Amino acid sequence: MASTIGTASISQQLRLKNESLDGLNRQKACTACSKNKSVVIRAVKAPTQLQQRSPASTGTVKQAMTMTEKILARAAEKATVSPGENLWVNVDTLMTHDVSGPGTIGIFKREFGPQAKVWDHEKIVIIPDHYIFTNDERANRNVDIIRDFAQEQNIKYFYDIKDRSNFKANPDYKGVCHIALAQEGHCKPGEVLFGTDSHTCNAGAFGQFATGIGNTDAGFIMGTGKLLIKVPPTLRFILDGDIPHYVLAKDLILQIIGEITISGGTYRAMEFTGSAVEKLTMEDRMTLCNMVIEAGGKNGVIAADQITFDYLEGQKVKVPTFLVPATQKVWMDLYTIPVPGANGKTCAQIFEDAGCDTPASPNCGACMGGPRDTYARVNEPQVCVSTTNRNFPGRMGHKEGQIYLASPYTAAASALTGFVTDPRDFL
């Protein structure tokens, strides 16, 4: 049957066959081919219950575990865990922001007391990034609440913004929470990260168990550093082959979600592997893992490799001792750096010359349709081609707005033509 990748209308031929993987359940697989290059995508699901075997003569039988199971076993201080098992895990990092932070703080104070202290002020990350560039008083109050709490609790990692007129005037501001977590060294292979944002699964690109939680769970973690969770079964996606130059990671994950449906990964760990994944940059890997929630996934995960460690070596990150060391990161403002092959122009100049608004105010406002004056919020029933990750009706503002998710290539091509456009016309 024929299909397309994202909105770029890239024709593919899909064929199904049975696959097996080291004792895991047999499941259908698909091979996606495009022109003379191909990406083979195979999805294999781990069994919900492991088969029982008699002990060997030497004693207990070792149990094979998936990547997610190994991470959770370590966090629960257990030798083995199985899908469906409920267990208490020790949390390495908790993230909250200006949308869910006030609710989380309220629950923490209600349950642990108004004078209670958080379990570890260095393991909580608070990032205002949704409701900041707005004059809405209620939204501003949200930021005031998390700022007061951060000062009260001496939260080490509070990426504040005080001058809303010029985001560059705020040395502590780091932009969108998912990228800030990655760039500031909070995404570490083998660790457990919870965040009050459904796209916290973004951090799975680092070989970390990362998933979104609600205010109640986050409030409990604030006080105890622990959380009771159920071990998810694993759905493995094996992407082999060469990715055509006009196909980006956003196209791949949109294609995968289209194939398995928006509920195809419900409460499953979606693991990505294969030669195509091994060639992806960390940014591309984050794109894959970020959107597993759009298929109902509990978490997305990619095994840490040299590309992961090279990225971490560019940051001042203390990687867990059972992995590798890291060094230091150099910060740069990409909007002020000349783009190669652009006659010395910067990103900002290129956008402005093309008639775009001046790039400014990096935040999640447009993604979730914050206050009416939030940048790019759709206040009228308009058509929008967006590189964001969710397009539920009303998600970006007006409930009748038509939001089409696309890769950066497709969005750029569409900006040139005024309609959804195949980027191959310009590449």
Side-chain angles (χ1 to χ4, degrees):
M1 61 181 172
S3 183
T4 59
I5 293 183
T7 55
S9 300
I10 301 172
S11 177
Q12 297 184 320
Q13 191 68 29
L14 305 173
R15 66 175 183 272
L16 300 177
K17 65 179 180 180
N18 287 328
E19 287 287 336
S20 64
L21 179 65
D22 298 331
L24 301 182
N25 281 355
R26 298 174 65 86
Q27 180 161 331
K28 290 185 177 180
C30 72
T31 300
C33 300
S34 182
K35 289 194 173 181
N36 296 324
K37 296 183 179 180
S38 65
V39 179
V40 181
I41 303 175
R42 301 193 294 276
V44 185
K45 181 174 67 176
T48 55
Q49 294 294 333
L50 293 171
Q51 296 180 353
Q52 298 298 319
R53 294 191 296 172
S54 300
S57 59
T58 56
T60 59
V61 176
K62 290 184 178 180
Q63 176 177 310
M65 292 187 292
T66 65
M67 191 187 323
T68 292
E69 292 162 10
K70 289 180 180 179
I71 295 173
L72 294 180
R74 169 189 166 273
E77 300 178 352
K78 298 186 65 173
T80 61
V81 300
S82 301
E85 181 180 353
N86 292 308
L87 53 117
W88 288 98
V89 297
N90 296 310
V91 180
D92 294 294
T93 304
L94 170 68
M95 185 278 293
T96 191
H97 49 47
D98 50 327
V99 177
S100 302
T104 296
I105 293 167
I107 291 172
F108 167 73
K109 288 184 174 292
R110 184 189 70 195
E111 299 300 326
F112 293 92
Q115 304 304 319
K117 294 298 182 181
V118 297
W119 108 94
D120 193 324
H121 71 100
E122 292 190 4
K123 292 187 176 182
I124 296 175
V125 182
I126 302 180
I127 307 175
D129 70 338
H130 283 66
Y131 291 165
I132 47 178
F133 297 107
T134 174
N135 292 318
D136 186 283
E137 293 183 357
R138 288 172 295 183
N140 295 158
R141 178 58 184 149
N142 271 29
V143 179
D144 291 339
I145 291 173
I146 61 174
R147 180 180 293 117
D148 292 343
F149 183 76
Q151 294 174 349
E152 168 197 307
Q153 298 286 335
N154 191 29
I155 299 298
K156 182 176 181 179
Y157 300 108
F158 174 51
Y159 299 119
D160 197 8
I161 182 166
K162 297 179 180 178
D163 185 350
R164 290 185 290 114
S165 64
N166 178 12
F167 76 91
K168 294 181 182 180
N170 301 270
D172 295 331
Y173 182 59
K174 305 303 178 184
V176 176
C177 59
H178 313 300
I179 304 305
L181 285 171
Q183 292 182 339
E184 294 304 305
H186 301 292
C187 300
K188 302 175 184 178
E191 291 195 349
V192 172
L193 164 68
F194 289 107
T196 57
D197 190 294
S198 59
H199 293 105
T200 301
C201 48
N202 184 90
F206 292 82
Q208 182 176 45
F209 177 83
T211 192
I213 55 174
N215 294 353
T216 302
D217 283 348
F220 185 81
I221 293 174
M222 272 190 174
T224 67
K226 298 179 181 292
L227 188 64
L228 179 67
I229 67 169
K230 181 169 67 176
V231 179
T234 292
L235 185 61
R236 171 179 274 191
F237 295 85
I238 305 171
L239 284 68
D240 283 326
D242 296 320
I243 301 176
H245 70 282
Y246 48 83
V247 173
L248 299 178
K250 189 56 156 275
D251 297 310
L252 293 178
I253 191 59
L254 287 173
Q255 172 70 17
I256 288 171
I257 295 172
E259 289 295 319
I260 69 174
T261 77
I262 59 173
S263 60
T266 300
Y267 208 90
R268 283 178 166 78
M270 293 174 64
E271 180 180 332
F272 302 96
T273 186
S275 61
V277 175
E278 293 170 358
K279 300 171 188 174
L280 294 177
T281 65
M282 286 308 302
E283 289 76 14
D284 287 334
R285 295 179 184 190
M286 283 189 269
T287 297
L288 282 182
C289 291
N290 180 284
M291 289 188 64
V292 301
I293 185 61
E294 309 308 327
K298 179 65 173 176
N299 67 298
V301 68
I302 297 173
D305 58 12
Q306 194 57 50
I307 290 178
T308 315
F309 299 134
D310 287 345
Y311 183 96
L312 293 174
E313 285 173 3
Q315 308 171 60
K316 196 173 183 180
V317 180
K318 231 181 227 187
V319 177
T321 55
F322 56 88
L323 290 166
V324 297
T327 53
Q328 186 178 8
K329 174 182 177 178
V330 178
W331 264 93
M332 297 181 292
D333 183 352
L334 295 180
Y335 282 137
T336 63
I337 297 176
V339 177
N343 297 322
K345 291 184 178 180
T346 65
C347 283
Q349 290 172 326
I350 293 172
F351 282 127
E352 291 167 1
D353 290 348
C356 300
D357 289 350
T358 301
S361 310
N363 69 96
C364 285
C367 173
M368 67 169 300
R372 291 188 62 85
D373 63 345
T374 301
Y375 182 77
R377 184 181 190 273
V378 179
N379 294 313
E380 299 175 358
Q382 299 175 328
V383 177
C384 175
V385 175
S386 174
T387 59
T388 53
N389 44 26
R390 182 169 291 166
N391 62 346
F392 297 166
R395 167 75 179 182
M396 289 176 63
H398 200 285
K399 65 180 181 180
E400 294 180 7
Q402 299 179 51
I403 313 299
Y404 294 89
L405 302 184
S407 72
Y409 282 170
T410 301
S414 302
L416 293 174
T417 63
F419 53 87
V420 179
T421 301
D422 189 328
R424 288 177 293 180
D425 295 342
F426 299 94
L427 294 173

